[in-house]
Short mmCIF file of all heavy atoms in Angstrom, two decimals:
data_model
loop_
_atom_site.label_atom_id
_atom_site.label_comp_id
_atom_site.label_asym_id
_atom_site.label_seq_id
_atom_site.Cartn_x
_atom_site.Cartn_y
_atom_site.Cartn_z
N SER A 1069 162.91 156.03 91.87
CA SER A 1069 163.34 155.25 92.98
C SER A 1069 163.00 155.94 94.31
O SER A 1069 162.51 155.29 95.28
CB SER A 1069 164.88 154.95 92.88
OG SER A 1069 165.32 154.26 94.04
N LEU A 1070 163.28 157.28 94.41
CA LEU A 1070 162.96 158.00 95.58
C LEU A 1070 161.46 158.04 95.82
O LEU A 1070 161.03 157.90 97.04
CB LEU A 1070 163.52 159.46 95.44
CG LEU A 1070 165.09 159.60 95.40
CD1 LEU A 1070 165.47 160.98 95.12
CD2 LEU A 1070 165.69 159.05 96.72
N LEU A 1071 160.73 158.26 94.82
CA LEU A 1071 159.25 158.30 94.93
C LEU A 1071 158.68 156.94 95.42
O LEU A 1071 157.79 156.89 96.30
CB LEU A 1071 158.61 158.69 93.62
CG LEU A 1071 157.06 158.70 93.58
CD1 LEU A 1071 156.48 159.69 94.56
CD2 LEU A 1071 156.61 158.95 92.13
N THR A 1072 159.20 155.89 94.90
CA THR A 1072 158.73 154.49 95.30
C THR A 1072 159.04 154.30 96.76
O THR A 1072 158.16 153.72 97.45
CB THR A 1072 159.50 153.45 94.46
OG1 THR A 1072 159.19 153.70 93.07
CG2 THR A 1072 159.03 152.08 94.84
N LYS A 1073 160.17 154.74 97.23
CA LYS A 1073 160.50 154.56 98.63
C LYS A 1073 159.56 155.44 99.48
O LYS A 1073 159.14 154.98 100.60
CB LYS A 1073 161.94 154.96 98.87
CG LYS A 1073 162.42 154.63 100.28
CD LYS A 1073 163.86 155.00 100.51
CE LYS A 1073 164.34 154.53 101.89
NZ LYS A 1073 163.44 155.06 103.02
N GLU A 1074 159.29 156.62 99.06
CA GLU A 1074 158.34 157.50 99.81
C GLU A 1074 156.98 156.79 99.97
O GLU A 1074 156.39 156.84 101.03
CB GLU A 1074 158.11 158.83 99.06
CG GLU A 1074 159.24 159.81 99.16
CD GLU A 1074 158.87 161.12 98.58
OE1 GLU A 1074 157.99 161.84 99.12
OE2 GLU A 1074 159.48 161.55 97.58
N LEU A 1075 156.52 156.22 98.90
CA LEU A 1075 155.22 155.54 98.96
C LEU A 1075 155.31 154.31 99.91
O LEU A 1075 154.31 154.03 100.67
CB LEU A 1075 154.86 155.07 97.55
CG LEU A 1075 154.34 156.21 96.65
CD1 LEU A 1075 154.33 155.78 95.21
CD2 LEU A 1075 152.85 156.62 97.06
N GLN A 1076 156.37 153.58 99.82
CA GLN A 1076 156.51 152.42 100.70
C GLN A 1076 156.57 152.88 102.13
O GLN A 1076 155.94 152.28 103.04
CB GLN A 1076 157.81 151.70 100.36
CG GLN A 1076 157.72 150.95 99.01
CD GLN A 1076 159.06 150.26 98.63
OE1 GLN A 1076 160.13 150.62 99.17
NE2 GLN A 1076 159.01 149.37 97.72
N ASP A 1077 157.29 153.90 102.50
CA ASP A 1077 157.39 154.42 103.81
C ASP A 1077 156.02 154.90 104.34
O ASP A 1077 155.66 154.70 105.47
CB ASP A 1077 158.44 155.53 103.97
CG ASP A 1077 159.85 155.07 103.74
OD1 ASP A 1077 160.05 153.84 103.85
OD2 ASP A 1077 160.76 155.91 103.45
N TYR A 1078 155.31 155.56 103.47
CA TYR A 1078 153.97 156.01 103.77
C TYR A 1078 153.07 154.86 104.18
O TYR A 1078 152.38 154.88 105.18
CB TYR A 1078 153.35 156.81 102.64
CG TYR A 1078 152.03 157.36 102.88
CD1 TYR A 1078 151.85 158.66 103.46
CD2 TYR A 1078 150.85 156.68 102.51
CE1 TYR A 1078 150.58 159.15 103.70
CE2 TYR A 1078 149.58 157.23 102.78
CZ TYR A 1078 149.48 158.44 103.35
OH TYR A 1078 148.21 158.89 103.60
N ASN A 1079 153.07 153.84 103.36
CA ASN A 1079 152.27 152.70 103.60
C ASN A 1079 152.66 151.88 104.81
O ASN A 1079 151.79 151.41 105.64
CB ASN A 1079 152.20 151.78 102.36
CG ASN A 1079 151.41 152.36 101.20
OD1 ASN A 1079 150.63 153.32 101.38
ND2 ASN A 1079 151.58 151.75 100.05
N PHE A 1080 153.93 151.75 105.07
CA PHE A 1080 154.46 151.07 106.21
C PHE A 1080 154.00 151.80 107.50
O PHE A 1080 153.69 151.17 108.54
CB PHE A 1080 155.96 150.95 106.15
CG PHE A 1080 156.45 149.98 105.19
CD1 PHE A 1080 157.69 150.09 104.56
CD2 PHE A 1080 155.65 148.89 104.72
CE1 PHE A 1080 158.19 149.18 103.67
CE2 PHE A 1080 156.16 147.95 103.88
CZ PHE A 1080 157.41 148.10 103.31
N ALA A 1081 154.03 153.08 107.40
CA ALA A 1081 153.66 153.90 108.61
C ALA A 1081 152.15 153.62 108.97
O ALA A 1081 151.80 153.50 110.20
CB ALA A 1081 153.85 155.36 108.37
N ILE A 1082 151.37 153.55 108.01
CA ILE A 1082 149.90 153.23 108.30
C ILE A 1082 149.78 151.82 108.72
O ILE A 1082 148.98 151.56 109.72
CB ILE A 1082 149.04 153.50 106.95
CG1 ILE A 1082 149.08 154.94 106.64
CG2 ILE A 1082 147.70 153.00 107.16
CD1 ILE A 1082 148.36 155.28 105.32
N GLU A 1083 150.48 150.95 108.14
CA GLU A 1083 150.42 149.51 108.52
C GLU A 1083 150.86 149.30 109.95
O GLU A 1083 150.24 148.45 110.75
CB GLU A 1083 151.28 148.66 107.55
CG GLU A 1083 151.08 147.13 107.82
CD GLU A 1083 151.83 146.39 106.76
OE1 GLU A 1083 152.88 146.86 106.21
OE2 GLU A 1083 151.43 145.20 106.48
N ASP A 1084 151.87 150.01 110.38
CA ASP A 1084 152.38 149.91 111.77
C ASP A 1084 151.60 150.71 112.82
O ASP A 1084 151.77 150.44 113.97
CB ASP A 1084 153.87 150.38 111.81
CG ASP A 1084 154.76 149.50 110.96
OD1 ASP A 1084 154.44 148.33 110.73
OD2 ASP A 1084 155.88 149.96 110.60
#
Side-chain angles (χ1 to χ4, degrees):
S1069 176
L1070 293 174
L1071 176 62
T1072 300
K1073 186 177 186 307
E1074 281 188 68
L1075 286 162
Q1076 290 175 344
D1077 291 344
Y1078 180 88
N1079 287 345
F1080 287 154
I1082 293 177
E1083 187 175 26
D1084 293 340

